[in-house]
Amino acid sequence: MMRTRPLKVALLGCGVVGSEVARIMTTHADDLAARIGAPVELAGVAVRRPSKVREGIPAELITTDATALVKRGDIDVVVEVIGGIEPARTLITTAFEHGASVVSANKALLAQDGAALHATADEHDKDLYYEAAVAGAIPLIRPLRESLAGDKVNRVLGIVNGTTNFILDKMDSTGAGYQEALDEATALGYAEADPTADVEGFDAAAKAAILAGIAFHTRVRLDDVYREGMTEVTAADFASAKQMGCTIKLLAICERSKDGTSVTARVHPAMIPLSHPLASVRGAYNAVFVESDAAGRLMFYGPGAGGAPTASAVLGDLVAVCRNRLNGSTGPGESAYAALPVSPMGDVVTRYHISLDVADKPGVLAQVATVFAEHGVSIDTVRQQGKDGEASLVVVTHRASDASLSGTVEALRKLDTVRGVASIMRVEGE
């Protein structure tokens, strides 16, 4: 039997995502009520610019006083889609203190203060759900947190930023340079006027912190994630990748060590074989590859951003939280029992692709090979091309630690025959 008294929802933010949340709540009201077991009512919408026309939202629901809205006491669920650290953090905490559960899409806040927010939610016996914070419409957090709860996840490897994937895909498919591809992404609305958060990897790093924490039952903060942007990737790098049967993606990689005693989380450009499922992810799409003991390899794919896709994830969380409210229960909270240490990037072991500008004369290859050997880095393949006294030397290593590779490169720069290090890129996904 359906309850007639509605569950009241406060919406913080009514931009691209928030407006879609409000629209779906209105147009799908009957379906949502049937799935939840009670109607849901949009009780208030906090915005910064009240004069802006918001189609489908009654003017009396609009307010600029977000604090008063979450303090009302009759709000069952607060949906936070304003982003940033403050005032979102204070508003979410205040919502818990005044009896509301929270659905958020705020990756930056969750990556920085997720543990504190979970603790406050637990203290007040409320839910904190955030499926939309990592991969838009792609169901990822709930499968990791619930469907794979009985399994041991060893690796999460993914493309979690649509802007960077669009740019790199364009460079790969057309031969365009980075700036040309970025300009097209901006013109099409895939990149912000200031794309720093995307192209420098900040957005992906926040998502990696959230994914690693859930996958490994360990608190992983944004500061624990190694981050390297993609602004230095060139058309020449793509040409080298193609010669290896690879392409280049900006990847978020979360791994458990082979002995299971530590974890790592990192974001950086990497070459991946064309045979890997992530290599075929095109345009602004996202995909995440999960490897676990029992389930094996799983891939989650779909639109990772945009108003409607992100709102879909928000509404999925809203239904779950509302069901919990009706049942007088809460869903899964933070699981950090493993408390594994997060290893520094220097301990990470992977393959490397190094492009060197060298003098075109006898003995250069022997000198370079000696440096690699002295630092314990084994060479897989070498390719050399030369003309008019100058040459390029491309070295692909076997697996080596980041620390040993850094020492190798430092020593290479000291060789008189090495004019410069053109590029260094990791090789993943094998």
Side-chain angles (χ1 to χ4, degrees):
M1 182 177 178
M2 183 178 294
R3 192 181 83 166
T4 57
R5 183 170 67 83
L7 292 161
K8 293 189 177 183
V9 178
L11 178 60
L12 307 183
C14 197
V16 173
V17 176
S19 59
E20 281 295 311
V21 170
R23 181 189 66 79
I24 295 172
M25 284 185 64
T26 301
T27 58
H28 295 180
D30 291 342
D31 286 339
L32 291 173
R35 294 165 191 172
I36 292 169
V40 287
E41 174 188 321
L42 188 59
V45 181
V47 300
R48 285 184 297 177
R49 296 184 295 275
S51 59
K52 181 179 177 180
V53 176
R54 293 173 172 85
E55 186 177 346
I57 301 178
E60 62 269 20
L61 295 183
I62 301 295
T63 179
T64 57
D65 194 343
T67 301
L69 179 59
V70 300
K71 282 184 173 181
R72 274 178 39 172
D74 64 337
I75 299 297
D76 294 288
V77 185
V78 169
V79 174
E80 182 271 310
V81 288
I82 56 178
I85 305 302
E86 289 291 357
R89 174 171 49 198
T90 299
L91 290 170
I92 290 174
T93 300
T94 302
F96 291 140
E97 293 170 346
H98 287 78
S101 289
V102 173
V103 172
S104 176
N106 195 331
K107 53 190 170 287
L109 177 58
L110 289 158
Q112 178 173 306
D113 291 315
L117 293 176
H118 272 295
T120 305
D122 290 345
E123 178 186 350
H124 296 280
D125 198 26
K126 297 296 178 288
D127 275 323
L128 173 61
Y129 277 47
Y130 43 90
E131 184 68 67
V134 171
I138 305 172
L140 185 58
I141 289 178
R142 191 170 286 112
L144 282 173
R145 192 162 64 173
E146 299 178 25
S147 303
L148 295 174
D151 206 345
K152 179 183 178 183
V153 176
N154 297 309
R155 195 179 199 215
V156 180
L157 171 75
I159 298 164
V160 295
N161 183 279
T163 299
T164 56
N165 199 58
F166 178 89
I167 293 170
L168 292 173
D169 182 38
K170 186 60 61 174
M171 292 175 70
D172 185 25
S173 60
T174 68
Y178 165 75
Q179 189 60 51
E180 182 183 351
L182 172 59
D183 290 344
E184 182 172 349
T186 303
L188 293 172
Y190 291 127
E192 301 287 345
D194 179 2
T196 302
D198 294 323
V199 300
E200 294 294 354
F202 290 101
D203 176 86
K207 295 171 179 178
I210 295 170
L211 289 173
I214 296 171
F216 307 132
H217 304 280
T218 291
R219 286 179 178 170
V220 180
R221 288 171 51 87
L222 181 58
D223 292 344
D224 295 323
V225 182
Y226 172 83
R227 177 194 55 79
E228 184 182 320
M230 48 154 281
T231 57
E232 300 301 318
V233 177
T234 66
D237 291 326
F238 274 101
S240 293
K242 287 181 178 180
Q243 290 181 339
M244 291 178 58
C246 292
T247 188
I248 299 172
K249 299 291 186 182
L250 184 75
L251 299 178
I253 305 170
C254 312
E255 292 180 305
R256 188 191 300 269
S257 63
K258 290 191 179 297
D259 62 8
T261 61
S262 65
V263 299
T264 58
R266 51 197 165 102
V267 168
H268 54 71
M271 295 182 180
I272 59 172
L274 294 175
S275 58
H276 193 281
L278 291 178
S280 61
V281 178
R282 312 302 297 267
Y285 273 68
N286 285 189
V288 177
F289 206 70
V290 177
E291 300 175 11
S292 68
D293 275 0
R297 296 184 172 186
L298 307 171
M299 183 168 166
F300 301 84
Y301 170 84
T310 305
S312 170
V314 170
L315 267 295
D317 278 350
L318 179 64
V319 169
V321 170
C322 285
R323 286 171 175 168
N324 292 342
R325 297 281 288 196
L326 288 180
N327 295 331
S329 64
T330 56
E334 183 190 32
S335 176
Y337 72 89
L340 297 172
V342 182
S343 296
M345 187 62 186
D347 293 347
V348 171
V349 175
T350 188
R351 295 180 67 203
Y352 289 88
H353 175 282
I354 304 104
S355 179
L356 305 172
D357 294 326
V358 299
D360 186 15
K361 61 182 184 181
V364 173
L365 180 56
Q367 286 185 329
V368 169
T370 298
V371 170
F372 276 88
E374 289 174 346
H375 288 81
V377 179
S378 175
I379 294 175
D380 183 14
T381 62
V382 177
R383 186 175 71 254
Q384 185 174 7
Q385 293 178 323
K387 183 179 181 181
D388 298 329
E390 297 295 329
S392 64
L393 191 66
V394 175
V395 178
V396 179
T397 74
H398 288 290
R399 293 176 67 82
S401 72
D402 190 79
S404 63
L405 196 282
S406 295
T408 304
V409 172
E410 184 177 348
L412 287 171
R413 294 183 192 276
K414 295 178 181 179
L415 294 178
D416 292 338
T417 52
V418 175
R419 310 297 192 211
V421 180
S423 69
I424 302 171
M425 192 166 296
R426 296 167 184 86
V427 183
E428 300 282 352
E430 297 179 289

